[in-house]
Amino acid sequence: MVDDRDASSKHSSSMIFADAFGWMTRAAIWAEKWNHHQEWENVYNKVIVTLTTHDVDGLSSLGRQAGA
């Protein structure tokens, strides 16, 4: 869970940059198909993904399940 937000976040820093960027590209294709656009950051080999639902200003039941 993210402090001061109704959101869930996960990060990984076990990849090299090309793998991190490739993972983000594959995730973006699925996010577009599911019409869910997560917040994320990428610096070198670190990817941070934050799940929240902007329509309801916080986590929906689906976001809570994914963040568990």
Side-chain angles (χ1 to χ4, degrees), residues 3 7-8 11-12 14 21 24-25 28 30 42 52 55-57 60-62 64-65:
D3 291 339
S8 176
H11 77 276
S12 174
S14 60
F21 196 87
M24 290 176 67
T25 301
W30 282 104
N42 170 236
T52 190
D55 292 345
V56 297
D57 198 27
S60 68
S61 60
L62 291 175
R64 290 184 195 284
Q65 291 171 8

Side-chain angles (χ1 to χ4, degrees), residues 1 15 18 24 26-27 35 48-49 59-60 64 67-68:
M1 298 304 293
M15 304 177 250
M24 290 176 67
R26 291 187 302 277
N35 195 30
I48 301 170
V49 178
L59 287 174
S60 68
R64 290 184 195 284

Side-chain angles (χ1 to χ4, degrees), residues 22 40 43 55:
W40 53 18
V43 178
D55 292 345

Side-chain angles (χ1 to χ4, degrees), residues 12-21 42-47:
S12 174
S13 57
S14 60
M15 304 177 250
I16 62 173
F17 176 75
D19 291 340
F21 196 87
N42 170 236
V43 178
Y44 183 54
N45 69 336
K46 183 177 182 181
V47 176

